[in-house]
Amino acid sequence: MKTRLLAAAALLSTSLLALGLQPAHADDAGRAPDAGRLDSGLQILAAAAERGQPLTEQTAADGGHGAKVLTGARLEHGDVLVNVYVDGSVTSAAAALQGLGMRVTGTSDRAPERLVAGWLPATRLLDATALSGTRAILTVHAGTDAADGTDAGSVLSQGDAIHHGPQARALGATGAGVKVGVISDSINQQAGGVATSQASGDLPSSVSVLADDPGQSDEGRAMAEIIYDEAPGITQMYFSTGTVSAAGKAASINNLVASGVKVIADDIFYLDEPMFQDGQVAQAVDAAKAAGVSYFASAGNRAKQSWEGTYNGGADEDFDPGAGTDTIQSLGNFNGTSPYISLQWAEPWSAATTDLALDWYVDDVLVATPDANNIVSGIPNEVEQITFSGVHNVGIGIRRVSGTGTPKLKYIAGGVSTFTIQQFPTDSNAINPDAASAAGSMAVAASNWSTPTSPEPYSSRGPSITRRFDSLGNVLTTPVVRPKPALDAADAVATSVPGFNPFGGTSAATPSAAGIAALIRSANPTLSVDVVAAILTNPAYGLDCTPTAGQPDLDCGSGFIQADSMVAAAKDASPPAVTSATTPAGGPGGWFSGTVSVSWAVADGDSPVYAMTGCAAATFSAPGTSSCSATSVGGTTSKSLVIRIDRTKPTKVKFKGIKKHYAHGTRPVKKKVKCKARDGESGIVSCKIKGFKATPGKHTIKAVATNGAGLKTTKRFTYTID
């Protein structure tokens, strides 16, 4: 799509009058309500609430082209799920919001997201902007990977067999003693809930529901069944919903950890969590890992539906990487669907100084969208969604609203079946930015159980994500690059939960991996979380699905995991073999005569070597010590090599048992002829006589003295026999 000039009349007005919003209320402190503190979708909802209109899925029409802009808001009995970003005390802000009728689902007092999340009556949205602690109010955008449309009991997951679950259990691992947690939408809402799955033998007798989300699909129950299929020895499972805000999800993570779980499977994503720094969810995941939890997060179901670039500094982003100019990027042709975009730019979260807007184009006509972000919030994120019927070509534009920065840009697209960006694609990583991107998680890719070495086309690709700021918003001197996804597991599997047979997407693959982690941890409860991760991500214990054998790649990480090999590795009782080699080889006394290079070889055929210290090659030009310590599941082997260097040859070589002249009839006795020498460093390891003769005549013998470094000194002696 080429740049087009549009008349101002084609734009949808975003003024307060057009939305029907009037600053009619004021808080006790006298601050006037400010609709500019609401994102565009909430402005639409607030206007409808002010007019007394029913609060259903509110939309803004495009002026006759059939496309509508969705607010993206989740509504429940007139309440809307929001994040209220806070200046000052989060506790005080939460109390004030509760005074307006807000049902708080979570709070975060940690940078970069200091906020209160919860259900706020839409009729009080404007009143909430008048509270002295309110910086901005934004819509909560949450989802599960299966919700993107791709994404031991009565029903057995086919993934158990292809993951070699029966063979792993034959080694004695069942998941016994391992508490497992699940984060998804709900677990006890549909078709009899947990009790139905327990009655059919698809869940253990003890399932603790810490928090559920009423009316949801019970995707969490389907996940729990997959885990229990693979690890039927589990006796305690825990569930906590992740769909009531990112702050609520972080609280769920913390509560599961407090309950003692050692494995968590999570398929909830927030595309409005920071993409360039760790937000509250990523920080909660890292804290869980630090507490000894193996954390598995769905990588996402958005293939390579991501674009990255750097803002060109003009009024509109130029997508054309060449000499031309094109400020409208065509995504492709879509048939009656609801695509969404989450756009972010690399400025500190909650402190951004650049405000960018995302515009939608349908068949080359602008569907005007209000600026969902606002400079007041300091949130460098735009989340927009449209819906339409029929086949249309869809494009986007990125427009500067304020600020002068030229930050790096990234968006992830979804809401439609898997597609390739039609124009100027960069095929960038589409890994979910919250839990899956955390340092402490293993992001899980998906392969159909029947074709385990071929990742699903929709499984989000890597090969890595990049963090450019620390959690406080400070620019990192060196950006942090994290390889993602970590591994691959089965989807398209059966469960007993209605609507999840088959169960596809990385939401199904994630519990497949978590079940195997439970087997590993039950096989050897002493293993640390890092060792468990080392086993799970070792290419030797998986089916290779990469172009380069044995090498992780952007499609499936280390490969499609195999439970039996991993359980066997967890039970390894033999430490690694550690051997050294030198160039050149040492002398006969173990000394060296000059500069020496030392290399180490470490091997363990039974389990991964997950820690090595001092094992890198090194060169010594002076005496020293080279040490190598290597650790596998079987234990630790440590070896040292003392480097001794002697550059001086032996001295004071002398002969014994021989004289210069022998009269006729006399001669030297060979066994009595010897030599000796001195060496103050490496010592003399040998002194040999060569050329001895006992016949009449004049003879010369040699004494060859060798020190511990292999250096030699030769001395000659002449004698005569008459």
Side-chain angles (χ1 to χ4, degrees):
M1 293 183 176
K2 290 296 180 184
T3 307
R4 60 171 55 236
L5 298 176
L6 297 170
L11 299 175
L12 176 68
S13 172
T14 61
S15 69
L16 299 184
L17 289 176
L19 290 170
L21 300 179
Q22 304 290 336
H25 310 291
D27 69 354
D28 293 338
R31 186 167 100 169
D34 180 5
R37 295 182 184 274
L38 302 173
D39 69 25
S40 59
L42 295 180
Q43 289 179 9
I44 295 171
L45 288 176
E50 288 284 299
R51 294 191 295 265
Q53 294 178 343
L55 297 179
T56 56
E57 184 183 69
Q58 298 296 320
T59 59
D62 74 345
H65 292 278
K68 296 181 178 180
V69 180
L70 299 178
T71 67
R74 181 178 169 188
L75 298 167
E76 185 178 277
H77 308 302
D79 296 342
V80 58
L81 190 59
V82 296
N83 284 324
V84 182
Y85 280 82
V86 171
D87 290 323
S89 168
V90 172
T91 301
S92 298
L97 289 162
Q98 287 173 322
L100 295 179
M102 184 182 202
R103 292 177 285 141
V104 175
T105 62
T107 62
S108 173
D109 199 13
R110 177 182 295 177
E113 298 169 282
R114 299 184 67 258
L115 55 81
V116 179
W119 296 94
L120 181 66
T123 55
R124 307 306 299 271
L125 281 167
L126 279 176
D127 294 329
T129 67
L131 296 176
S132 59
T134 298
R135 175 192 293 184
I137 306 177
L138 306 180
T139 304
V140 169
H141 298 276
T144 63
D145 281 315
D148 246 358
T150 55
D151 273 2
S154 62
V155 177
L156 181 66
S157 163
Q158 299 94 327
D160 181 52
I162 202 66
H163 279 301
H164 289 189
Q167 294 92 322
R169 293 189 291 274
L171 297 174
T174 65
V178 181
K179 294 182 179 180
V180 176
V182 175
I183 294 177
S184 188
D185 60 352
S186 67
I187 195 172
N188 200 33
Q189 300 297 314
Q190 302 295 327
V194 169
T196 298
S197 293
Q198 289 172 323
S200 63
D202 289 298
L203 285 181
S205 59
S206 177
V207 177
S208 300
V209 182
L210 305 183
D212 214 4
D213 193 356
Q216 297 301 307
S217 69
D218 275 8
E219 187 165 319
R221 179 152 60 106
M223 292 172 66
E225 286 193 1
I226 292 172
I227 295 171
Y228 193 55
D229 281 342
E230 292 180 343
I234 293 172
T235 58
Q236 291 177 286
M237 277 192 173
Y238 295 79
F239 177 84
S240 196
T241 185
T243 52
V244 292
S245 73
K249 177 178 174 179
S252 286
I253 295 170
N254 296 337
N255 291 336
L256 289 173
V257 173
S259 297
V261 304
K262 290 303 178 185
V263 176
I264 292 178
D266 168 15
D267 80 329
I268 299 298
F269 64 88
Y270 286 86
L271 288 180
D272 52 5
E273 278 288 277
M275 294 181 186
F276 296 102
Q277 68 191 99
D278 286 338
Q280 58 190 319
V281 173
Q283 292 179 56
V285 170
D286 289 348
K289 184 193 174 190
V293 176
S294 298
Y295 201 106
F296 299 87
S298 54
N301 294 343
R302 281 159 291 283
K304 299 178 182 178
Q305 294 161 205
S306 177
W307 175 90
E308 295 180 8
T310 300
Y311 197 75
N312 64 358
D316 298 281
E317 169 63 10
D318 177 15
F319 293 96
D320 190 339
T325 299
D326 197 337
T327 59
I328 303 173
Q329 181 187 32
S330 175
L331 299 181
N333 295 310
F334 304 103
N335 185 5
T337 188
S338 302
Y340 65 72
I341 293 282
S342 178
L343 167 70
Q344 294 189 17
W345 50 100
E347 292 188 336
W349 202 263
S350 297
T353 58
T354 301
D355 187 7
L356 302 177
L358 180 67
D359 296 328
W360 290 94
Y361 293 82
V362 177
D363 297 332
D364 265 0
V365 176
L366 176 65
V367 179
T369 61
D371 178 24
N373 183 58
N374 55 74
I375 202 64
V376 175
S377 73
I379 308 300
N381 183 209
E382 288 281 324
V383 181
E384 295 286 357
Q385 186 171 21
I386 61 171
T387 186
F388 51 82
S389 59
V391 177
H392 298 278
N393 187 268
V394 176
I396 61 167
I398 299 173
R399 169 173 44 88
R400 184 193 296 281
V401 177
S402 63
T404 59
T406 57
K408 292 187 179 296
L409 307 175
K410 179 180 179 65
Y411 72 69
I412 296 178
V416 296
S417 298
T418 303
F419 71 96
T420 298
I421 295 172
Q422 186 178 80
Q423 193 177 31
F424 312 124
T426 59
D427 291 336
S428 302
N429 87 78
I431 303 294
N432 290 336
D434 55 354
S437 291
S441 74
M442 284 173 275
V444 184
S447 286
N448 189 293
W449 66 269
S450 63
T451 54
T453 59
S454 299
E456 297 278 21
Y458 49 73
S459 184
S460 286
R461 267 55 177 178
S464 60
I465 62 99
T466 301
R467 297 304 206 207
R468 300 185 178 276
F469 305 92
D470 66 16
S471 62
L472 298 178
N474 299 308
V475 177
L476 296 171
T477 303
T478 302
V480 174
V481 178
R482 298 171 185 159
K484 302 281 181 173
L487 49 84
D488 189 32
D491 80 332
V493 299
T495 77
S496 74
V497 181
F500 296 95
N501 186 12
F503 183 9
T506 55
S507 290
T510 299
S512 294
I516 294 174
L519 294 179
I520 293 169
R521 302 203 75 153
S522 69
N524 189 344
T526 66
L527 297 181
S528 71
V529 64
D530 287 327
V531 177
V532 174
I535 293 173
L536 283 159
T537 57
N538 191 316
Y541 309 141
L543 301 179
D544 199 351
C545 54
T546 66
T548 304
Q551 296 296 317
D553 81 338
L554 60 87
D555 291 342
C556 65
S558 60
F560 190 87
I561 54 180
Q562 298 287 275
D564 54 343
S565 298
M566 294 179 173
V567 167
K571 298 167 76 69
D572 177 25
S574 300
V578 176
T579 56
S580 63
T582 62
T583 304
W591 287 65
F592 299 90
S593 60
T595 299
V596 58
S597 297
V598 180
S599 61
W600 292 94
V602 177
D604 193 320
D606 298 318
S607 67
V609 175
Y610 60 85
M612 291 193 296
T613 303
C615 301
T619 299
F620 292 80
S621 58
T625 301
S626 180
S627 299
C628 174
S629 178
T631 303
S632 69
V633 174
T636 299
T637 300
S638 298
K639 289 191 176 182
S640 294
L641 179 65
V642 177
I643 306 301
R644 300 174 296 178
I645 298 176
D646 180 0
R647 291 184 169 88
T648 304
K649 295 181 178 182
T651 61
K652 296 184 178 181
V653 180
K654 295 181 179 180
F655 293 87
K656 293 177 62 178
I658 194 167
K659 57 186 181 179
K660 288 185 174 294
H661 182 265
Y662 289 89
H664 180 70
T666 64
R667 65 191 64 194
V669 179
K670 183 176 182 180
K671 65 180 181 180
K672 292 183 179 182
V673 179
K674 297 180 180 179
C675 66
K676 65 178 183 178
R678 291 184 182 181
D679 192 296
E681 291 188 86
S682 61
I684 301 299
V685 296
S686 70
C687 194
K688 297 180 179 180
I689 301 296
K690 296 184 178 181
F692 175 82
K693 293 181 180 179
T695 59
K698 189 175 182 179
H699 307 293
T700 299
I701 60 173
K702 293 190 298 184
V704 180
T706 304
N707 67 10
L711 295 175
K712 301 177 186 296
T713 297
T714 301
K715 188 172 183 179
R716 290 172 172 79
F717 182 83
T718 301
Y719 62 98
T720 302
I721 301 175
D722 293 340

